[in-house]
Amino acid sequence: MCGIIGCVNDEAVAPILLQGLKRVEYRGYDSAGVATVSESVIRVTKAAGRIDDIERKYGLSTLTGTTGIAHTRWATHGGVTDRRERVAIVHNGIIENYLELKKQLRAKGHIFKSETDSEVIAHLIEAEYRQAKDPVKATILAAKKLKGQYAFAALFQDAPELITGARKDAPLLIGVGDTKNFIASDVLAFIEHTDRTIFLDNQEVVKVTNRSVEIFDMNGRPVRRKPTQVAWELADLSKMDYAHYTLKEIHEQPKTVVSAMMQNEEKLAEFVEKIRGARSVFVTAAGTSYHAGLLLKYRLERDAAIRCEVTLAGEFREHSEFVDGGSVVIALSQSGETADLLEAIREAKKKGAKILSLVNAAGSTLARESDLTLLLNCGPEVGVAATKSFTAQVVVANLIVDNLVGSGNGGGEEVARMVEEALSSEPTVKEIARMYRERSDFYFIGRGYHYPVALEGALKMKELSYIHAEGMAASELKHGTLALIEEGTPVVVINPRGETHADTLSNAEELKARGARVIGISDEPSEVYTHFIKIPRAKESLTPVLEAIPLQLMAYWTAVEKRNDPDYPRNLAKSVTVK
Ligand code: F6R
């Protein structure tokens, strides 16, 4: 959820920590903290606000010391403090037994300064360190006592040459440089310095100095693991000339849908064979990835005649009665770190199912715990709202189904051209955003294959513009929601030519008769639409990609009109690594 970074450098570490924090800003936060150790003092600065503002106010980059840790997080208060404590930590996750541990530590004389579960980790390590006099041993002993999910990095007052880290059910990565090494929750925190990465496994502990990285299991036994090179280019991280990452990522889609289509043929064939050979097929995901999962289900059933259940990741356990050794579970995720999803696949694994996944972040926990993974290849998605990862998921899902039925999937060039054409709707969409920015409600409707896109349009609108939005099957309107339609209510009708076109058009007429402003997204204009957003005519399987683009732009431009920050919507985090 939050971003954490630790670094041991051979010169001042604070500027590197700050740069890393800015890279993980997209994960969502309302405050940040930095701690460095120098001359036997751990100096901690934490404050609410944006990193740039905190830096201006407290001059974080001038903190001395070559070893330090930092985090972005929600709801931290405070200013600058010189700490005489022996240990400081940054933590991602939730410690379930912190009240119990706090009680025990208080009884031993520890004084707590906050109500956070994280502070317990620092006191626990400190208590163990007093006995063991060894940072690694202390980290292991402390980690063994923690229940819940965690990824943390620890800084020691009297061992300024190192940091330690540990993880359980929350991601922790090691960045291996030449003169500096890192521990971080996200590869983007250190990618400017090194692309050599080690993904720490669950219940492992690491010790990092500026020249060495040592990994241990929970019994203190050394673990050998070589770094892998992460392919995300540094260039991908700049906003270029765009005002926001979200806009840049929306505009990248002509390129990213093509790179997503470039799958290793053998791997794709193996993936397809596993689905073909399964007794039952389940799909699971959260948020936007769930909407892509609904599209995959539609195509598997309609085109490949393979029955498929699709379940929200957070609901999977309650609906996994029929998952067994003959099942295949397909998990979709941009981050590969969504806690609900990881819990779902672990549950499925326990029942003997094979896990297939579609993931953007190579090396993520989902990718590592899957039997087989197809990567989305759309590059880092920094904007909190999923955009290019959704369209990448749709084209990879299409590849899978097209291979199952033995049909060709069309050339990348043609797909890129159509996506480009869909993007040319931007001036119309921008005007619509300006006209409806003050509305309190938005509705999105579609039928069949277009219904999940209506859900996705509403989700984008909610998270970026903060306007209440509902996506629904067009057929459902008359079962209740029609009562909410009044003069001027904007309703987006997703309705390209095809078998559902006529029925959806008649729903649009019903809406118009009740005063709605109907915003039609289609390859076919109609008088019923108050506004018409034209998308190119395409075969059905590609329509969700073309429909999603104006919907992403509409949410983006409404957010901009309302002066929201589209890259960092309030209360949201890019990777939801807690339940
Ligand atoms: C919506 C959004 C979220 C994610 C969801 C799943 O724009 O970004 O709804 O789609 O949290 O995340 P991943 O795909 O990383 O598992």
Side-chain angles (χ1 to χ4, degrees), residues 189-414:
F190 55 73
I191 192 87
E192 258 143 316
H193 303 278
T194 179
D195 59 359
R196 288 187 298 142
T197 304
I198 298 174
F199 296 89
L200 209 63
D201 265 342
N202 243 355
Q203 303 208 283
E204 283 180 345
V205 165
V206 63
K207 175 180 136 187
V208 161
T209 69
N210 68 339
R211 305 275 161 172
S212 68
V213 170
E214 290 172 81
I215 303 172
F216 305 89
D217 66 15
M218 283 293 171
N219 295 314
R221 282 189 296 255
V223 174
R224 292 177 69 83
R225 191 158 316 128
K226 286 208 180 106
T228 50
Q229 210 134 2
V230 289
W232 290 354
E233 302 293 338
L234 201 53
D236 286 347
L237 295 178
S238 94
K239 272 193 276 196
M240 304 196 323
D241 289 334
Y242 291 100
H244 299 102
Y245 283 109
T246 307
L247 188 61
K248 176 194 164 215
E249 286 159 8
I250 293 171
H251 277 270
E252 271 173 357
Q253 292 175 103
K255 205 175 71 195
T256 52
V257 288
V258 177
S259 51
M261 286 168 79
M262 292 187 186
Q263 295 292 330
N264 174 303
E265 280 187 17
E266 271 171 36
K267 227 169 165 197
L268 181 61
E270 201 187 329
F271 203 99
V272 163
E273 273 324 301
K274 284 205 162 37
I275 297 175
R276 213 194 301 275
R279 210 166 38 223
S280 54
V281 176
F282 296 83
V283 170
T284 187
T288 290
S289 297
Y290 171 72
H291 301 151
L294 289 171
L295 294 167
L296 173 59
K297 170 194 164 77
Y298 177 97
R299 286 219 60 208
L300 279 173
E301 294 189 338
R302 294 278 299 232
D303 298 335
I306 292 177
R307 194 171 162 181
C308 166
E309 290 283 330
V310 55
T311 313
L312 284 166
E315 291 288 308
F316 188 85
R317 202 172 43 192
E318 285 70 30
H319 296 271
S320 61
E321 212 51 48
F322 298 104
V323 177
D324 61 20
S327 308
V328 148
V329 173
I330 308 175
L332 289 83
S333 178
Q334 188 286 127
S335 62
E337 301 294 352
T338 299
D340 288 337
L341 188 60
L342 295 177
E343 190 175 277
I345 62 139
R346 287 171 189 152
E347 177 72 18
K349 263 188 166 179
K350 258 195 255 158
K351 296 181 165 216
K354 287 265 169 295
I355 311 298
L356 308 183
S357 58
L358 269 57
V359 189
N360 194 33
S364 58
T365 308
L366 177 60
R368 284 177 300 119
E369 293 189 13
S370 299
D371 294 289
L372 197 59
T373 296
L374 295 179
L375 292 175
L376 301 178
N377 298 332
C378 64
E381 190 176 66
V382 175
V384 165
T387 52
K388 61 179 179 171
S389 64
F390 174 72
T391 49
Q393 284 169 339
V394 177
V395 297
V396 177
N398 281 342
L399 274 186
I400 293 166
V401 179
D402 291 341
N403 271 268
L404 268 166
V405 298
S407 75
N409 32 57
E413 254 175 56
E414 180 60 2

